[in-house]
Amino acid sequence: MVQMPTLDLLRDTHQFPGPYMFKVIGRAEDGFAARVVAAVREELANDSDPPFRLREAVGGRHVSVTVEPTVQTAQEVLAVYHRIRKMAGLVMLL
């Protein structure tokens, strides 16, 4: 797994509030992609799903989920990372 960014790094490299891109790769089973999108929505307390894209790997064993919500603070980014890191089926979080 990739080490999570620090608050200082996030503040230095991103403008808040604003969009933030999470890339997640996991096993294409048990609704992994839907669970990722739901986790981001719930962690940010949004009423609707954030914009997202899916890309299935050749062979269909894995799926890449790119979620691009608007986040208010660097702390929100870290909260989403923490939540996704606990998910069953996670292979990589970028």
Side-chain angles (χ1 to χ4, degrees), residues 19-22 36-37 40-41 44 46 48-54 65-71:
Y20 189 87
M21 183 185 306
F22 297 92
V36 168
V37 174
V40 174
R41 181 189 68 240
L44 299 177
N46 290 339
S48 60
D49 288 343
F52 67 93
R53 295 184 308 277
L54 305 177
V65 185
T66 303
V67 186
E68 297 185 68
T70 297
V71 294

Side-chain angles (χ1 to χ4, degrees), residues 2-3 6-7 17 27 36 39 53-55 57 63 72 90 94:
V2 166
Q3 185 174 352
T6 64
L7 284 175
R27 291 189 285 280
V36 168
R53 295 184 308 277
L54 305 177
R55 185 170 175 196
V63 63
Q72 301 302 311
L90 177 66
L94 307 170

